[in-house]
Amino acid sequence: AAPDGAWALFGSGTPTMDITTPSHLHLTAPASGSVLLRGYARAIPSVPFTVTTKLAAHTLDVSQNHSPLVGLGLREAATGKSYHVILACEGGGAYSVKIKNQYWSNLTGSTITNGDATPATTGYGLLRPIYLRWVVTSQTDIRSYFSYDGLVYIPVGTASANPGFTFDEVGFVLYAATLSVSLEAMFDWV
């Protein structure tokens, strides 16, 4: 079934959504010649909360060298500011995929700041599936995690973070980078 009306696509040239694959939300961020974050988000629940998703598939394993990404984000809808736990291609091709935190000052990436990355070794983001999790204890104390099995979660980085803005949405983020190919991701559940 389609997600309920609480969810909304965001970003200019929004991603396309397909629900024809059983039990999966298939999002595609179209290729773009400019920096543009896209996604699908909904209002956050009451703080504190935990949100987890199962990222079942993605197309980061093609040779893309302009830092495309997929993952789970917290965002401020009015400004487009966002903080993510993502799989990102680090500019070295398909095997440089890392799991990390990243901040965007708006949807067009005026300021993009990379945070902690765990594991530091590249390529681990290619394993499937990957589970991503936010543990939010307050607007200034959040922690990101990942898991390969959905049972044991590993923190991304060594400390909780203060994103520096008041987030009011949580959801999926995709960035196709400035390439000529679209970026796809399939989420089993959130």
Side-chain angles (χ1 to χ4, degrees), residues 2 20 29 36 56 60 64-65 72 75 77 84 87 94 102 123-124 140-141 146 170 176 179 183 186 189:
T20 59
L36 183 59
L60 288 174
Q64 300 188 70
N65 294 315
L72 193 60
R75 65 185 303 265
H84 320 132
L87 280 68
Q102 190 177 70
Y124 285 120
T140 59
D141 188 10
F146 79 97
V170 63
L179 303 175
L183 177 64
M186 284 200 169
W189 46 260

Side-chain angles (χ1 to χ4, degrees), residues 83 103 138-143 159-167:
Y83 192 64
Y103 164 81
S138 73
Q139 283 281 338
T140 59
D141 188 10
I142 61 175
R143 191 79 194 257
S160 61
N162 177 352
F165 61 92
T166 303
F167 51 87

Side-chain angles (χ1 to χ4, degrees), residues 14-38:
T14 55
T16 58
M17 178 181 66
D18 177 11
I19 55 169
T20 59
T21 302
S23 183
H24 287 80
L25 175 65
H26 181 191
L27 295 175
T28 302
S32 173
S34 59
V35 177
L36 183 59
L37 188 68
R38 297 174 171 102

Side-chain angles (χ1 to χ4, degrees), residues 41-149:
R42 64 173 294 140
I44 62 170
S46 298
V47 176
F49 67 88
T50 297
V51 62
T52 305
T53 191
K54 179 182 179 183
L55 175 57
H58 58 78
T59 57
L60 288 174
D61 52 355
V62 296
S63 186
Q64 300 188 70
N65 294 315
H66 292 79
S67 302
L69 64 88
V70 297
L72 193 60
L74 296 167
R75 65 185 303 265
E76 185 175 58
T79 63
K81 292 178 182 176
S82 56
Y83 192 64
H84 320 132
V85 56
I86 55 170
L87 280 68
C89 215
E90 292 285 293
Y95 299 103
S96 63
V97 175
K98 287 185 180 179
I99 302 164
K100 66 181 184 177
N101 291 327
Q102 190 177 70
Y103 164 81
W104 283 51
S105 62
N106 60 35
L107 292 175
T108 57
S110 292
T111 302
I112 301 172
T113 306
N114 289 318
D116 294 315
T118 302
T121 304
T122 59
Y124 285 120
L126 293 173
L127 299 175
R128 304 224 191 10
I130 296 273
Y131 299 81
L132 301 173
R133 173 176 285 175
W134 283 118
V135 175
V136 177
T137 54
S138 73
Q139 283 281 338
T140 59
D141 188 10
I142 61 175
R143 191 79 194 257
S144 59
Y145 297 85
F146 79 97
S147 173
Y148 295 121
D149 53 25

